[in-house]
Amino acid sequence: MNLKIVGLAIVILVVIGGIAVYEVMKKTTTANETYPTTSGTSSVKLRIVSLAPSDTQALIALGLGKYIVGLDRYSYTMLQLVNKTSCIPSNVTVFPHIYPVNISGLIELNPTVIVGEKGFLYKCIDSLQKAGLKTYLTNADYASNFYQIENCICSLGKYFNVTNASKELVNWMNSKLQEFSSPGNKTVAYIGWICPNYYFWTAGGNVFINSLIQLGGGINAFGECVNYKKLCPGKLIEANPDILVVNVVYNISYTKYLLYHIPGIQNVTAYKDKNIYFLCCQSSYLTNEPGPLAVYAVLLFHDIINGTAPHQITWSWIYYCIKPELPVF
């Protein structure tokens, strides 16, 4: 009888021990989650730092947000605007600047890879590599159309071995573009910045904003220009656009002062017809970041061109009327 009791006790201890070992193994597996890459399967937990809002959008949409341990403040603000901060760890490190890069701060995070734009990081790539930091550079910020943005997304998907998610994301983007795109013939001048001497920066025919204008149903008044171009006030008068879309410089009052004091502005059709639209504060996140959310910028330009948008466009209006939503696949 005593032997039976002892035997039963041994069985119970073995079972309890087995359960405990399983729980430890399960926790260990979670803490050191493997991830497949193009070079095979790594046994190191993936730790991503994203230093560009366009890349952060793509990483979140590809289901990689839980691996992001650091990002720039512009990316974090963008995630707040579209209610996606829950997709990243609550203790994520937010860097106040994209450039100059905080190399010591990056080292402390011990990232497996830093994802960023060539335009921002190419100057410091040697310093990053000397510090032993692995980088993956994208080029979405220099995309001139959605096809190139989608190529960047597919490249990210291949690198992190989430190709199915990248295909789903591209299909989602194309479906939104088909829904939002429309033809039209009104000329649109995009002013990204007005200088105190009334010179201004605009978007040429080979940059991303040109594609947004065209898909939204307009014609870029400065489509013959190359890249982002600084022009004299007379060029605006000469172009005589039907519609003006102006990024706010510092604040709306100062921007209006600069715009309305451009010599000859009173002769421009957009001024005479009161077709001037100001992108206030955070509303330019859609137009300035060539990522998945940019499909909603097509709808924004459509509403501007068709006169259904307010003349002072805020993120609040975009949130409730455009309803941008970042999917996660």
Side-chain angles (χ1 to χ4, degrees), residues 186-201:
K186 290 186 178 180
T187 55
V188 179
Y190 176 84
I191 298 181
W193 188 267
I194 307 177
C195 304
N197 63 355
Y198 308 122
Y199 276 65
F200 63 95
W201 287 89

Side-chain angles (χ1 to χ4, degrees), residues 33-44 46 64 67 156-162:
E33 189 169 351
T34 61
Y35 69 98
T37 66
T38 52
S39 58
T41 301
S42 170
S43 60
V44 181
L46 183 59
L64 298 167
Y67 300 118
L156 272 174
K158 184 177 180 181
Y159 181 83
F160 290 108
N161 200 25
V162 286

